[in-house]
């Protein structure tokens, strides 16, 4: 390549570097870009110095421009280090003073270069050979260069690790960018190893501007610089939740617009750079989670514009490059309206519970009295005429169905209350079953159904008396309902460990398999008519199963069409002796 063509290519490369500088300058507010701009400026000065050296003919002129581009090369190292540290979120390792000291150290070494004619620290030998400046470096200069290359190699390693952990669609182009920018690094190493090649490698180091354009094309294609402002400004700032990010030392390093506005209403004009302990002083639990960098959730109160607001705060630890303990992220949700709705619902539920308590007292009492009066009439039905006897029987059936449905309905509502408290104690199971049989003896007698109480006299269950009575009455009532004239119902118990299994068996209609699967479904609240057309609300089994489950047991059914059904339920219990009766 002729000298003129070489000059044209080098000038074109510098122009490309200037274009890259103009483009990157537009993103100077983004993380680490200021230091990247410093790297590009140093690279432009370096390339310009090389061009001037190549076109200078005196030893002093070439040495002057050599010092210029070597100074730019030296200062470029700390700028590149600081760029990498900010990019991979390690910038907390160096505060502002540390960054200044780092740049100053490299600048001081560059100053030695300008006074080397007296100090002889950088070069052992300087000569002009065939129009090219040849230098032989001292051991100090070589050691310094090795330290610089080691630092740059470490930076490239961190960049490589950073790119390994980014999104998959950006990982490959990111690796290409890393590969292309490493060429100038490799060229400088080759120049150090073999100084005789420096005359033709020096222009090649300027041509890296062309590689820089390839890097710029990749950046434009995959929007590397645009991703950050998009995610930061479009996504985070449009969220209604406030986001606060602190580093490991407790310093606020980022926030979205909602967080800034939220804290400004509480008297903090700016929050960036403030310490988390100062900013969150009114909420020590929140401060503790951020400082310990632990995940957690808390609720806080804050007064804004004279109004009490309630917030839910989720704190998450901040991780970078698979390292833990890098800081904390706080997400602040306004749950004031939700909390008010919950309080209103709680008040309505309390009012509902009070109404049901009143209704259960005011309705069940009169119905129970009517039921007792009808039972007295049914016991003396033989003294009535046929027409009157039918009326009494119809009235008895109606009142019994109404009373049973009302009791089940009220008990179901009672079971829905979270604060519903059962009062369990050890009960003689046979006595409870006997009471239930007695209450239903008129219904069973009307269908000539014999109810056999086969519960062992020593069996005791640990249950709430009202709940246990309700369960057994519902199961017996169902068995009588679906058993034909002259049928039978058997109630038995079986002890297994500390659980008692109670079964209610009938020889009635039975059920299909599909019916047994849907029997306890809350969506199937309908009841089939009994063998004599008896009606029901379909709520009894649902209520019974809920009380069994609340008592620590389970309920299930076995049935075959035409062969009857067996309902089982379990409860905690014991047996004192083996005696039994019918």
């Amino acid at each position: 390549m002729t000298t003129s063509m070489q000059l044209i290519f080098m000038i074109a490369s510098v122009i490309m570097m200037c274009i890259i500088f103009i483009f990157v300058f537009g993103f100077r507010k983004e993380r680490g870009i200021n230091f990247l701009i410093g790297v590009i400026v140093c690279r432009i000065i370096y390339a310009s110095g090389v061009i001037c050296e190549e076109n200078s003919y005196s030893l002093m002129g070439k040495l002057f421009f050599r010092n210029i581009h070597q100074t730019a090369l030296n200062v470029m190292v700390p700028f590149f280090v600081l760029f990498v540290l900010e990019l991979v979120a390690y910038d907390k390792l160096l505060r502002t003073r540390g960054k200044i000291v780092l740049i100053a150290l490299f600048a001081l070494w560059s100053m030695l270069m300008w006074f080397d004619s007296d100090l002889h620290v950088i070069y052992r030998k300087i000569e002009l050979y065939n129009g090219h400046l040849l230098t032989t470096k001292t051991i100090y200069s070589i050691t310094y260069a090795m330290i610089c290359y080691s630092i740059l190699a470490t930076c490239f390693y961190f960049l490589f690790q950073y790119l390994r952990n980014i999104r998959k669609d950006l990982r490959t182009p990111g690796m290409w960018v890393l590969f292309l920018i490493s060429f100038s690094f490799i060229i400088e190493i080759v120049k150090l190893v073999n100084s005789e090649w420096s005359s033709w490698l020096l222009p090649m180091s300027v041509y890296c501007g062309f590689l820089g354009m390839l890097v710029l094309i990749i950046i434009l294609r995959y929007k590397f610089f645009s991703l950050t402002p998009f995610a930061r400004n479009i996504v985070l700032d449009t969220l209604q939740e406030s986001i606060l990010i602190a580093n490991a030392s407790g310093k606020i390093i980022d926030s979205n617009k909602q967080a800034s506005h939220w804290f400004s209403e509480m008297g903090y004009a700016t929050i960036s750079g403030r310490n988390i302990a100062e900013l969150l002083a009114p909420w020590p639990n929140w401060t503790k989670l951020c400082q310990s960098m632990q995940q957690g959730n808390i609720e806080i109160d804050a007064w804004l514009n004279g109004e009490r607001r309630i917030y839910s705060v989720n704190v998450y630890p901040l991780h970078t490059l698979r390292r833990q303990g890098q800081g904390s992220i706080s997400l602040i949700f306004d749950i004031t309206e939700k909390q008010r709705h919950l309080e209103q619902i709680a008040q309505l539920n309390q009012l509902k519970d009070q109404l049901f308590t009143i209704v259960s007292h005011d309705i069940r009492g009169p119905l129970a009295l009517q039921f007792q009066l009808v039972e007295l009439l049914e016991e003396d039905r033989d003294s009535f005429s046929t027409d009157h006897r039918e009326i009494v029987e119809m009235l008895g059936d109606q009142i019994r169905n109404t009373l049973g449905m009302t009791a089940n309905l009220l008990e179901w509502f009672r079971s829905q209350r979270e604060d519903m408290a059962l009062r369990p104690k050890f009960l003689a199971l046979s006595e409870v079953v006997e009471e239930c049989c007695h209450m239903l003896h008129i219904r069973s007698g009307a269908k000539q159904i014999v109810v056999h109480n086969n519960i062992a006299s020593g069996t005791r269950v640990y249950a709430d008396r009202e709940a246990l009575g309700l369960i057994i009455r519902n199961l017996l009532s169902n068995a009588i309902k679906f058993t034909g004239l002259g049928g039978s119902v058997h109630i038995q118990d079986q002890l297994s460990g500390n659980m008692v299994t109670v079964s209610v068996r009938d020889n009635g209609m039975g059920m299909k398999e599909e019916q047994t699967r849907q029997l306890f479904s809350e969506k199937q609240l309908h009841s089939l008519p009994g063998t004599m057309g008896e009606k029901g609300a379909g709520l009894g089994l649902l209520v019974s199963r809920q009380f069994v489950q609340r008592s620590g047991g389970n309920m299930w059914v076995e049935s075959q069409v035409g062969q009857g059904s067996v309902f089982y339920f379990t409860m905690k219990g014991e047996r004192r002796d083996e005696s039994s009766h019918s």
Side-chain angles (χ1 to χ4, degrees):
M1 184 184 295
T2 65
T3 305
S4 298
M5 289 296 297
Q6 190 179 74
L7 178 62
I8 292 172
F9 274 107
M10 287 195 291
I11 292 174
S13 180
V14 173
I15 294 173
M16 291 180 183
M17 291 182 195
C18 292
I19 294 173
I20 295 171
F21 168 79
I22 294 170
F23 176 80
V24 174
F25 188 78
F27 297 92
R28 61 190 179 280
K29 293 183 180 180
E30 302 304 325
R31 186 178 185 87
I33 300 301
N34 280 329
F35 296 115
L36 180 60
I37 290 173
V39 172
I40 296 172
V41 169
C42 289
R43 198 70 198 173
I44 293 172
I45 296 173
Y46 171 82
S48 302
V50 171
I51 293 173
C52 293
E53 180 187 331
E54 289 293 305
N55 290 274
S56 179
Y57 300 100
S58 66
L59 177 64
M60 294 304 296
K62 285 184 177 290
L63 184 61
F64 174 79
F65 290 114
R66 173 68 62 91
N67 290 340
I68 288 178
H69 67 68
Q70 287 300 308
T71 299
L73 202 62
N74 287 335
V75 178
M76 187 170 60
V77 174
F79 278 122
F80 187 70
V81 170
L82 294 174
F83 163 69
V84 173
L85 288 177
E86 284 216 358
L87 185 66
V88 301
Y90 279 179
D91 52 309
K92 67 178 187 302
L93 297 176
L94 290 175
R95 298 183 182 275
T96 304
R97 185 181 300 174
K99 295 174 183 178
I100 295 173
V101 170
L102 180 65
I103 296 173
L105 289 174
F106 286 87
L108 286 172
W109 180 264
S110 299
M111 289 182 65
L112 292 176
M113 192 182 306
W114 290 92
F115 298 100
D116 190 63
S117 58
D118 299 321
L119 301 174
H120 302 290
V121 175
I122 308 297
Y123 304 116
R124 283 194 299 109
K125 183 180 179 182
I126 301 174
E127 60 181 342
L128 197 63
Y129 179 75
N130 290 335
H132 297 289
L133 182 65
L134 298 180
T135 60
T136 304
K137 293 186 176 182
T138 64
I139 187 64
Y140 305 110
S141 183
I142 294 173
T143 303
Y144 168 80
M146 293 301 296
I147 293 173
C148 289
Y149 296 143
S150 299
I151 293 173
L152 291 174
T154 304
C155 291
F156 275 100
Y157 170 77
F158 280 114
L159 283 175
F160 174 75
Q161 291 295 332
Y162 175 77
L163 292 172
R164 281 183 58 194
N165 291 280
I166 64 174
R167 279 170 28 194
K168 187 176 180 180
D169 57 326
L170 298 177
R171 193 177 304 148
T172 300
M175 289 296 184
W176 272 109
V177 169
L178 185 63
F179 174 72
L180 291 173
I181 65 175
S182 65
F183 267 97
S184 59
F185 172 66
I186 295 171
I187 290 173
E188 294 300 325
I189 293 177
V190 174
K191 284 166 58 179
L192 176 68
V193 173
N194 194 337
S195 59
E196 295 179 359
W197 293 357
S198 61
S199 59
W200 62 273
L201 285 175
L202 198 61
M204 284 191 63
S205 64
V206 179
Y207 299 153
C208 290
F210 293 101
L211 295 179
M213 284 305 295
L214 290 178
V215 170
L216 182 59
I217 291 170
I218 295 173
I219 289 173
L220 289 173
R221 170 66 179 81
Y222 291 95
K223 302 179 181 179
F224 278 111
F225 288 138
S226 299
L227 286 173
T228 300
F230 178 80
R232 172 65 179 79
N233 300 326
I234 303 301
V235 178
L236 294 184
D237 287 345
T238 54
L239 292 175
Q240 295 302 310
E241 295 78 20
S242 300
I243 300 175
L244 195 69
I245 304 175
N247 61 18
S249 61
K251 182 181 177 181
I252 303 299
I253 58 174
D254 203 359
S255 62
N256 63 350
K257 287 182 179 179
Q258 282 70 23
S260 300
H261 178 69
W262 189 66
F263 280 103
S264 68
E265 290 185 340
M266 288 186 288
Y268 296 97
T270 58
I271 59 176
S272 180
R274 286 182 175 270
N275 192 279
I276 205 81
E278 173 195 356
L279 197 64
L280 307 181
W283 309 287
N285 291 335
W286 186 2
T287 306
K288 184 178 179 181
L289 282 176
C290 292
Q291 290 177 339
S292 61
M293 290 172 282
Q294 294 179 350
Q295 183 173 338
N297 173 266
I298 60 169
E299 287 189 7
I300 64 170
D301 293 348
W303 286 89
L304 298 180
N305 300 323
E307 181 184 5
R308 177 177 173 266
R309 309 290 295 182
I310 303 172
Y311 298 90
S312 175
V313 180
N314 291 334
V315 180
Y316 303 95
L318 180 63
H319 304 285
T320 57
L321 281 180
R322 302 176 183 173
R323 288 170 60 91
Q324 299 183 357
Q326 300 300 296
S328 64
I329 304 174
S330 298
L331 275 66
I332 308 155
F333 303 86
D334 189 342
I335 59 170
T336 306
E337 295 302 321
K338 178 182 177 182
Q339 201 70 17
R340 287 173 182 170
H341 290 158
L342 290 175
E343 290 175 358
Q344 291 175 357
I345 291 172
Q347 292 175 356
L348 290 174
N349 279 333
Q350 186 178 5
L351 178 61
K352 178 199 70 175
D353 294 339
Q354 292 173 349
L355 288 174
F356 279 124
T357 302
I358 295 171
V359 168
S360 64
H361 180 271
D362 292 350
I363 289 181
R364 279 198 292 192
L367 283 176
L369 179 60
Q370 293 177 29
F371 175 72
Q372 292 174 357
L373 293 174
V374 168
E375 278 194 325
L376 293 175
L377 292 174
E378 286 179 331
E379 289 177 356
D380 295 334
R381 59 187 170 187
D382 293 338
S383 60
F384 298 112
S385 63
T386 304
D387 292 340
H388 288 166
R389 191 180 302 124
E390 290 179 358
I391 292 173
V392 170
E393 290 177 355
M394 291 175 59
L395 182 62
D397 290 340
Q398 188 66 38
I399 290 179
R400 269 189 290 272
N401 287 336
T402 304
L403 181 60
M405 183 179 63
T406 303
N408 284 330
L409 186 62
L410 294 173
E411 289 298 334
W412 181 79
F413 279 120
R414 191 167 74 95
S415 69
Q416 301 306 300
R417 293 175 54 181
E418 293 183 359
D419 62 341
M420 186 202 75
L422 297 177
R423 293 176 291 276
K425 59 182 179 179
F426 278 104
L427 305 169
L429 182 59
S430 61
E431 293 180 5
V432 179
V433 171
E434 196 63 40
E435 290 176 4
C436 295
C437 292
H438 179 73
M439 291 179 66
L440 299 170
H441 78 280
I442 293 180
R443 291 184 64 182
S444 59
K447 298 179 74 172
Q448 299 176 5
I449 295 174
V450 181
V451 180
H452 299 274
N453 180 3
N454 298 324
I455 302 296
S457 59
T459 301
R460 303 197 312 163
V461 293
Y462 188 70
D464 180 274
R465 190 176 189 89
E466 291 187 10
L468 180 61
L470 178 74
I471 296 165
I472 295 174
R473 284 198 306 273
N474 278 323
L475 295 181
L476 282 175
S477 179
N478 267 3
I480 294 169
K481 176 181 176 181
F482 294 106
T483 301
L485 291 172
S488 61
V489 176
H490 294 264
I491 308 171
Q492 296 177 318
D493 67 312
Q494 183 177 355
L495 183 66
S496 178
N498 65 340
M499 299 296 290
V500 174
T501 302
V502 181
S503 62
V504 179
R505 182 189 303 271
D506 64 67
N507 58 356
M509 299 164 52
M511 291 178 288
K512 296 179 181 178
E513 185 178 351
E514 181 66 23
Q515 288 176 300
T516 59
R517 282 201 300 266
Q518 297 180 355
L519 200 58
F520 296 107
S521 174
E522 296 185 14
K523 297 179 180 179
Q524 303 290 332
L525 293 180
H526 66 270
S527 177
L528 297 173
T531 55
M532 295 183 65
E534 301 98 321
K535 298 179 180 179
L539 197 60
L541 286 178
L542 179 61
V543 175
S544 299
R545 190 182 68 160
Q546 288 184 349
F547 276 109
V548 168
Q549 290 175 341
R550 291 208 173 207
S551 301
N554 196 12
M555 178 179 284
W556 68 98
V557 62
E558 295 175 357
S559 183
Q560 291 185 1
V561 177
Q563 297 184 19
S565 305
V566 187
F567 284 84
Y568 300 90
F569 70 91
T570 59
M571 282 194 173
K572 294 179 181 179
E574 62 183 14
R575 182 175 295 168
R576 288 190 168 181
D577 55 57
E578 298 297 325
S579 60
S580 63
H581 66 277
S582 297

